Amino acid sequence: MDLSFLSGVQRQAVQATEGPVLVLAGAGSGKTSVLTNRVAYLINEKGVDPFSILAITFTNKAANEMKERIGALVDFDVSRMAISTFHSMCAKFLRFDADKIGYERNFSIYDTDDCLTVIKRVLEAKNLDSKFARRFLSLISNMKNSAGKFSLEEYAQQLEEVDGSLGEFPSVYREYCDRLRRENAMDFDDLLLNMLRVLQECDSARNYYQNRFRYIMVDEYQDTNRVQYELVHLLAEKHKNIFVVGDDDQSIYAWRGADIRNILDFERDYENTKVIKLEQNYRSHKKILDAANAVIKKAEERKDKTLWSARSEGELPKVYTAPNEYAEAEFVAREINRMVSQDKSYADFAVLYRTHTQSRVLEEKLRIYSIPYRIYGGMSFFARKEIKDMLAYLTLYENPLADTALARIVNVPRRGIGEVSLQKLREYAAANGLSLLEAMEQADSFMGGGKAKFSSFLETMKSIRQACREKGLGETVEEVFWASGYRQMLLAEDSVEAETKIENVQELINSAYTYEKENEEATLEGFLSSVSLISDADTVSEEGSVTLMTIHSAKGLEFDTVFLVGMEENLFPSKRSVDAGKLDEERRLCYVGITRAKNLLYFTNCMTRNFYSGQAESVPSRFLTDIPKEMLEEITPLPRILRGESAPAAAQRPAFFRKMEEFKPKAQVDAGQFSAGMMVEHKKFGKGKIKSIAGEGEQRVAVVAFADSDRKLFLSFAPLKIIEE
């Protein structure tokens, strides 16, 4: 097998086949090539049985890419190999082993919306405000992902010390879990936790998987949580051929359970670990990497490594200081238009920010300049109401115990089933240990009107079962669309919106036919599992638009040109993170943002920014000051809007855009009164000395030496007063 195209250290990683191996793969260092070629090397050169290899990724997109690349290297049907995400792996294994822990094998997988429905009912039953549903779900997820690190009571005590209103958490947690169990359903966290239970509690299952998987590989190991760590540890316990790839410098998901200790302590957890560092970056040029290294080297806990690139050419990262966020957005829009008018396309650009709220002003400016853009992380296809409704019908058809699915569609289309009737149904079902569907069949015994109240829905489900009997997957989904009455309902609406919904459902049907074509033994439960496991990270589009996204969302992506906006203290790093002692994670986040850029990188910050509390002065981010001045190019031109130029004419703007101009800062002082050598005083920075002045009028900018550092200030806007020496 020819590995000559790989670097020496990459080949070393590929050929390290035995024992525990930790590959510290810096951003853009070619880790996917290492992973895929290692799998091929094991099969082609070492004669390893493909079925004995387990490769785990974090997104379906990454898993599919790995399969494609491995498929081009081996003479074997890779679709049959165990290459998947953690959740997909556990969902698949549990289809065989769920009965070992008290579930039926046809369990349903509930997504976030389904879980919200369940938790809201739990809270209502306990006379608790349902507006706290998402908070309780988050806490439940944290509890599950702890993998027994602490007991429910211990966790509840910790919560109550922080917030006394959370004293009901243990009972809410237990009732939520009980309801899922009664519905033969699992949430995403359950997939991992229950598979871990199977391995811990069932010797035969544990022995089977340990014997089967002789070689285990895990991508993005720095993003693993406690449950994922335990799963991998158990699976690798017998053969200890565990190969993990990750970068502690890109560990940015602690807020959703990722534990950086998993990668930092890998050598302690696995004796005789071989450590291999991939430090050559193939994405960015040297000047961008110099800035990234300068930021990350100040992290307190990290594995020592330094990214480098063979590309020495390229421009220095640029720093632009704007008077306010409107001018900042103006600058971004102008720069994009300028470069597009030369040789770039809109798809080359990404604007990255710390928080979603920063996108509003950027969107407004991009609209003014007619720049196409997309907000990454919007509503996905499978989150649309009509799709959720159809999936609920399919889920109930597959799993009659799925009460949450039934509750969603029992009155869609309308069948005259009110909330009072539903509540009586729920109470009877709970009292008699029945599913809602089973309780419907006995409705004569507990409510007036009896079974007739629910006859329409029962007939619908009966007709669905008859229509779908002995049908293939694609035909089944298509029949459900008709037999449920859903298509007729949309046709009756006779609107553009309804037509769009019909097209969306048709796309769902198409996806079922595609799934059936690509999977030899396609089943409805398999299709529903695959749909449930789709995430936003798997659906990044590469359309001809500028991408706006949070830095968290940008991980794993790359762009020709990146704007990192809002580089200010209390915004990035965020005040909340600094106060909570999480500066290192913010620093890693900055590192991730910088390393998304291939050729051009911009940092922007504002002198003042509008917050909910009003306008406040801003201080440049410490991450900017961490980068030596010689590694950056400061940009001095002001945005056109502040030079008095029209871009486009204000009279042509919508009223709400014109309103924005009222919030722009007005010149406060005569900039001409200042000169180099003067002593001045700033409201926030204190006393300082003007070192130099450049520009004219409102563009006049001074470099002022304050006690803490030199700062660049627009003299017309800065609150400066001249003082005597």
Side-chain angles (χ1 to χ4, degrees):
M1 182 176 175
D2 183 18
L3 300 176
S4 60
F5 65 95
L6 298 174
S7 70
V9 69
Q10 287 176 328
R11 285 197 300 275
Q12 183 186 354
V14 167
Q15 295 172 335
T17 60
E18 308 304 311
V21 181
L22 170 62
V23 178
L24 295 171
S29 61
K31 66 181 179 66
T32 304
S33 290
V34 168
L35 281 164
T36 54
N37 279 279
R38 186 175 189 268
V39 173
Y41 184 82
L42 284 168
I43 297 171
N44 294 338
E45 300 297 324
K46 305 293 288 188
V48 172
D49 182 355
F51 291 105
S52 71
I53 299 171
L54 173 63
I56 307 172
T57 68
F58 269 82
T59 67
N60 293 315
K61 180 182 178 183
N64 292 332
E65 181 184 355
M66 190 177 293
K67 287 178 182 178
E68 288 177 10
R69 294 175 66 166
I70 294 170
L73 298 171
V74 301
D75 185 20
F76 182 80
D77 183 7
V78 296
S79 65
R80 300 164 61 195
M81 291 182 65
I83 304 172
S84 69
T85 65
F86 272 104
H87 291 90
S88 293
M89 174 192 75
C90 291
K92 183 178 180 179
F93 293 169
L94 285 169
R95 293 297 177 194
F96 298 97
D97 298 306
D99 58 330
K100 295 179 174 64
I101 54 171
Y103 285 84
E104 295 185 31
R105 294 182 179 181
N106 67 335
F107 63 86
S108 298
I109 301 173
Y110 282 3
D111 65 11
T112 301
D113 286 346
D114 297 326
C115 295
L116 275 171
T117 301
V118 175
I119 195 69
K120 284 177 181 178
R121 287 183 188 150
V122 171
L123 296 175
E124 288 167 2
K126 295 181 176 294
N127 294 318
L128 298 172
D129 198 331
S130 61
K131 72 180 182 183
F132 297 117
R134 291 187 181 275
R135 186 182 186 190
F136 271 101
L137 269 188
S138 177
L139 295 173
I140 289 170
S141 179
N142 291 341
M143 179 64 206
K144 290 181 177 181
N145 287 329
S146 72
K149 190 175 182 180
F150 36 70
S151 69
L152 178 58
E153 287 68 29
E154 289 171 336
Y155 186 52
Q157 187 176 350
Q158 294 174 25
L159 294 177
E160 201 168 2
E161 289 173 358
V162 177
D163 186 345
S165 66
L166 295 172
E168 291 289 326
F169 178 76
S171 65
V172 171
Y173 178 88
R174 291 191 180 96
E175 180 60 23
Y176 171 81
C177 294
D178 287 346
R179 289 195 180 217
L180 288 187
R181 208 52 187 267
R182 289 198 298 269
E183 296 185 24
N184 192 36
M186 300 184 195
D187 60 24
F188 284 3
D189 296 320
D190 286 331
L191 294 175
L192 305 183
L193 192 60
N194 285 334
M195 190 62 214
L196 180 60
R197 284 185 57 203
V198 168
L199 295 176
Q200 291 173 332
E201 299 173 12
C202 182
D203 292 344
S204 61
R206 183 174 62 256
N207 290 334
Y208 169 78
Y209 290 112
Q210 286 181 347
N211 287 326
R212 176 182 168 182
F213 296 120
R214 293 178 53 210
Y215 295 89
I216 298 172
M217 286 174 276
V218 185
D219 192 15
E220 304 287 3
Y221 192 70
Q222 78 281 347
D223 294 336
T224 54
N225 61 30
R226 185 71 186 180
V227 179
Q228 291 160 339
Y229 165 86
E230 294 288 355
L231 276 168
V232 171
H233 195 74
L234 266 176
L235 289 170
E237 193 172 52
K238 182 171 182 178
H239 297 288
K240 293 186 171 52
N241 293 325
I242 172 72
F243 182 94
V244 303
V245 181
D247 183 6
D248 53 303
D249 290 338
Q250 296 186 75
S251 180
I252 59 173
Y253 296 130
W255 53 275
R256 68 184 190 194
D259 189 349
I260 194 174
R261 300 306 321 176
N262 292 348
I263 191 168
L264 293 178
D265 296 339
F266 187 87
E267 295 163 81
R268 183 200 67 187
D269 296 334
Y270 296 91
E271 291 183 5
N272 302 315
T273 294
K274 187 172 187 177
V275 180
I276 299 171
K277 297 180 183 180
L278 302 182
E279 296 174 291
Q280 183 175 0
N281 177 287
Y282 299 93
R283 175 188 301 153
S284 313
H285 58 71
K286 179 180 182 301
K287 293 172 184 176
I288 291 173
L289 297 183
D290 286 344
N293 288 326
V295 171
I296 198 62
K297 74 177 183 181
K298 293 195 174 184
E300 292 184 4
E301 283 195 290
R302 63 184 293 262
K303 299 283 189 179
D304 182 50
K305 54 191 170 302
T306 302
L307 281 185
W308 63 276
S309 173
R311 293 175 57 199
S312 58
E313 80 288 353
E315 298 181 31
L316 287 171
K318 305 177 191 302
V319 181
Y320 179 80
T321 301
N324 57 44
E325 66 266 37
Y326 300 102
E328 178 185 49
E330 172 95 5
F331 169 76
V332 171
R334 282 194 304 108
E335 282 294 280
I336 291 173
N337 262 358
R338 179 182 66 80
M339 286 184 274
V340 168
S341 69
Q342 296 173 353
D343 60 350
K344 295 186 184 294
S345 71
Y346 290 119
D348 289 332
F349 299 93
V351 185
L352 309 184
Y353 36 77
R354 179 63 179 84
T355 66
H356 282 292
T357 57
Q358 293 171 254
S359 73
R360 181 183 64 83
V361 176
L362 289 162
E363 286 187 75
E364 291 173 353
K365 281 295 181 184
L366 293 177
R367 289 189 189 120
I368 289 174
Y369 280 85
S370 300
I371 296 173
Y373 71 90
R374 65 188 184 94
I375 300 284
Y376 176 73
M379 181 174 288
S380 71
F381 175 82
F382 292 100
R384 295 168 184 169
K385 182 182 183 304
E386 62 273 18
I387 303 302
K388 296 279 292 181
D389 289 344
M390 289 303 302
L391 291 174
Y393 271 109
L394 292 165
T395 296
L396 187 62
Y397 167 70
E398 174 62 24
N399 175 19
L401 299 177
D403 287 353
T404 299
L406 183 149
R408 180 182 183 91
I409 55 168
V410 69
N411 224 15
V412 185
R414 292 192 179 278
R415 301 184 177 93
I417 302 172
E419 188 55 38
V420 174
S421 298
L422 274 177
Q423 188 57 36
K424 288 181 179 178
L425 184 69
R426 292 188 185 107
E427 290 171 358
Y428 182 81
N432 293 273
L434 302 173
S435 71
L436 293 184
L437 198 61
E438 290 170 329
M440 276 187 183
E441 297 282 358
Q442 303 178 21
D444 284 331
S445 63
F446 67 90
M447 63 182 294
K451 190 174 175 180
K453 179 72 76 172
F454 302 109
S455 61
S456 176
F457 185 78
L458 289 170
E459 283 299 316
T460 296
M461 293 308 301
K462 183 179 177 181
S463 66
I464 287 174
R465 294 194 177 280
Q466 290 174 342
C468 297
R469 190 174 291 132
E470 297 181 359
K471 293 284 180 46
L473 173 61
E475 288 180 301
T476 296
V477 180
E478 195 164 13
E479 287 289 353
V480 169
F481 190 31
W482 283 87
S484 64
Y486 207 95
R487 188 176 188 275
Q488 296 88 318
M489 177 191 74
L490 293 176
L491 286 171
E493 289 183 20
D494 193 25
S495 66
V496 175
E497 291 80 6
E499 289 178 10
T500 301
K501 291 178 180 180
I502 291 173
E503 291 173 359
N504 289 337
V505 177
Q506 188 59 54
E507 185 59 30
L508 176 69
I509 295 168
N510 293 340
S511 72
Y513 277 111
T514 301
Y515 182 88
E516 187 176 15
K517 183 179 179 181
E518 295 178 349
N519 293 270
E520 189 175 338
E521 297 180 1
T523 63
L524 178 57
E525 70 178 28
F527 175 67
L528 290 172
S529 292
S530 70
V531 168
S532 297
L533 296 165
I534 291 175
S535 66
D536 284 345
D538 304 318
T539 56
V540 178
S541 168
E542 296 186 1
E543 299 173 1
S545 307
V546 175
T547 298
L548 273 59
M549 60 183 6
T550 65
I551 308 173
H552 280 102
S553 299
K555 188 172 175 294
L557 305 177
E558 61 181 39
F559 302 89
D560 179 89
T561 301
V562 168
F563 291 86
L564 273 175
V565 301
M567 296 293 296
E568 301 144 33
E569 286 293 303
N570 297 328
L571 183 59
F572 191 32
S574 77
K575 187 177 187 303
R576 181 181 297 178
S577 295
V578 173
D579 292 345
K582 298 178 179 178
L583 178 60
D584 265 13
E585 178 138 339
E586 291 287 291
R587 187 175 296 282
R588 294 192 292 268
L589 189 60
C590 184
Y591 173 83
V592 167
I594 293 171
T595 54
R596 298 312 94 194
K598 293 195 290 185
N599 292 310
L600 285 174
L601 174 65
Y602 290 80
F603 298 104
T604 67
N605 66 298
C606 299
M607 296 173 60
T608 62
R609 185 175 294 273
N610 285 300
F611 297 95
Y612 295 115
S613 57
Q615 191 179 74
E617 291 185 14
S618 300
V619 177
S621 169
R622 69 188 72 191
F623 302 144
L624 280 180
T625 59
D626 287 341
I627 305 171
K629 290 182 179 180
E630 62 271 18
M631 294 184 181
L632 300 170
E633 177 189 351
E634 290 195 74
I635 302 174
T636 55
L638 286 170
R640 269 193 314 192
I641 194 73
L642 295 181
R643 297 202 301 264
E645 300 177 20
S646 176
Q652 299 176 340
R653 300 177 186 176
F656 71 94
F657 287 136
R658 294 198 300 272
K659 187 71 173 175
M660 287 163 46
E661 303 301 321
E662 299 175 11
F663 297 96
K664 292 188 173 146
K666 304 296 189 289
Q668 299 175 9
V669 297
D670 177 14
Q673 65 179 302
F674 298 99
S675 60
M678 280 186 174
M679 294 297 296
V680 293
E681 187 172 15
H682 190 278
K683 288 182 179 179
K684 188 169 186 176
F685 307 135
K687 295 180 180 179
K689 185 176 183 179
I690 299 177
K691 296 173 66 175
S692 63
I693 296 178
E696 299 292 333
E698 290 185 357
Q699 299 182 54
R700 211 162 188 235
V701 179
V703 176
V704 184
F706 293 102
D708 59 344
S709 64
D710 291 356
R711 299 187 183 275
K712 196 172 185 179
L713 303 173
F714 293 96
L715 290 172
S716 294
F717 304 97
L720 289 175
K721 69 175 183 179
I722 300 170
I723 61 175
E724 299 294 331
E725 294 190 44

